[in-house]
Amino acid sequence: MRTLIQTLYRLMDKGPLRALSLILALWLAGCVIWQPARFAARTSELAIWHGLLLIWAVCAGVVHGTGFRPQQTRWRGVFAPLPAMIVLILGIYWFYH
C-alpha cells in the first residue's frame, strides 16, 4: 500500500496539476461561501457525510496546490490529490447542475 500511495503522489506532483488542484479547491470553497444553503444538510439533497467529504477535498486540494509535500506516507494517503480532485470536480459539477 505504501508504494501505491507514493507512486500516486509522485505522478500527481507536477506543477500544472498542482495549479489545477488549487484552482479547483478555491473554486469549490467559493461556491460553498457563495451559496451555503446548496451544501447544507437540512436545505439540500446532500447528507452530512457529503459535506465532510467536500471539506476534506478542499483541504487536500489546498495542501497539494500550495506545494506542501507531506513527508510521512500516511499523511500523503490522507491528503491524496487524485481522489480529492475527483471529489472537487464532482462538487463543482453538483453546484452548477
Side-chain angles (χ1 to χ4, degrees), residues 10-77:
R10 193 175 338 109
L11 289 174
M12 296 294 293
D13 196 19
K14 309 284 189 267
L17 291 175
R18 285 186 176 277
L20 179 63
S21 180
L22 183 61
I23 289 168
L24 289 174
L26 295 177
W27 190 359
L28 184 60
C31 291
V32 171
I33 291 171
W34 185 260
Q35 223 172 6
R38 290 198 61 152
F39 296 95
R42 292 187 182 201
T43 59
S44 73
E45 301 169 1
L46 297 178
I48 291 175
W49 69 270
H50 291 122
L52 293 173
L53 191 63
L54 291 174
I55 291 169
W56 164 80
V58 168
C59 292
V62 169
V63 165
H64 180 251
T66 55
F68 182 73
R69 291 181 182 92
Q71 297 299 315
Q72 294 183 354
T73 305
R74 78 179 83 140
W75 292 115
R76 285 186 181 193

